[in-house]
Amino acid sequence: MTAALELRDRVVLTGVSKTYDTPTGSTVALSPTDLVIEPGAFVSIVGPSGCGKTTLLQLLGGFLTPSAGSLPVGPDPIDGPSPERGVVFQAPTLYPWLTVRGNVEFGPKCRGVDRKTRRAAAERMLDLVGLADFGGKRPYELSGGMQQRAQIARVLVNDPRIILMDEPFGALDQLTRERLQVELLRLWREAGKTIVFVTHSVEEAVFLSTRVLVMSARPGRIIVDRDIVLPNDDPTGVRELAVTATPEFQALKTELAKAIYEAHA
Ligand SMILES: Nc1ncnc2c1ncn2[C@@H]1O[C@H](COP(=O)(O)OP(=O)(O)OP(=O)(O)O)[C@@H](O)[C@H]1O
């Protein structure tokens, strides 16, 4: 990655806070937060329920406006949702009336990409996420894990600068979840994207991430910012599930789980 590209894709939060004003009062969801997310990082956010993880992700997605502070991506202020910041939610958000291929093509179609180009891009993405043979199916014909893969293809086809994921595997069974975690790591390596990932699972956060942020109970703030280095980490390779059995992995998991427990107290 060139220095210019790095600068273009760096996310810099300066004094970003969010207060929700409702008829029954105000809720400070995020205390003033300073944070730099480097391009190509895989950053997970963990913390007690209601600590502001989704709020932070939605601010990055441009779905919410900060009450104070700024959060540009490179030189560009975030001023609304953009295909450059793709979002994958826990609940599948595929259009049920379109085929899987149609769902993946939808973004490029809206941006005026011609039919042949967008069809080729969709096929490439479906292949990448292991759904090459399912493009003609409707979403309801897919399993939960396959629907999540289709969502990821739908985001990747827009070639986003950042992918924001809000508990994307939370509703899946353990086996599917583990399989998708490894696939996501492979995709992250191949596509070279920045990923910001919200999860309730410390194990998932440690396994996937290059960096884990722990947030305190409301009003949320970042209380731990931990680089994750695991045995046999290789900048070009993909972690294997076996690493979760190592003492290094277990020690990191214990350290972060303790921080979350204390954040609750
Ligand atoms: N639209 C809203 N209006 C008012 N309060 C809100 C709104 N959205 C979130 N909140 C409150 O802000 C706080 C942070 O919510 P947020 O959803 O960001 O937390 P979270 O860490 O993602 O929670 P969880 O882990 O349970 O998904 C919570 O107390 C929540 O009730």
Side-chain angles (χ1 to χ4, degrees), residues 20 22 27 29 47-56 167 200 218:
Y20 293 103
T22 65
T27 303
S49 194
C51 71
K53 302 181 291 294
T54 295
T55 298
L56 181 52
E167 292 184 60
H200 275 111
R218 208 182 70 210

Side-chain angles (χ1 to χ4, degrees), residues 42-76:
F42 195 128
V43 180
S44 286
I45 306 171
V46 292
S49 194
C51 71
K53 302 181 291 294
T54 295
T55 298
L56 181 52
L57 209 71
Q58 292 197 341
L59 287 163
L60 291 168
F63 298 102
L64 291 174
T65 312
S67 305
S70 65
L71 66 162
V73 179
D76 308 321

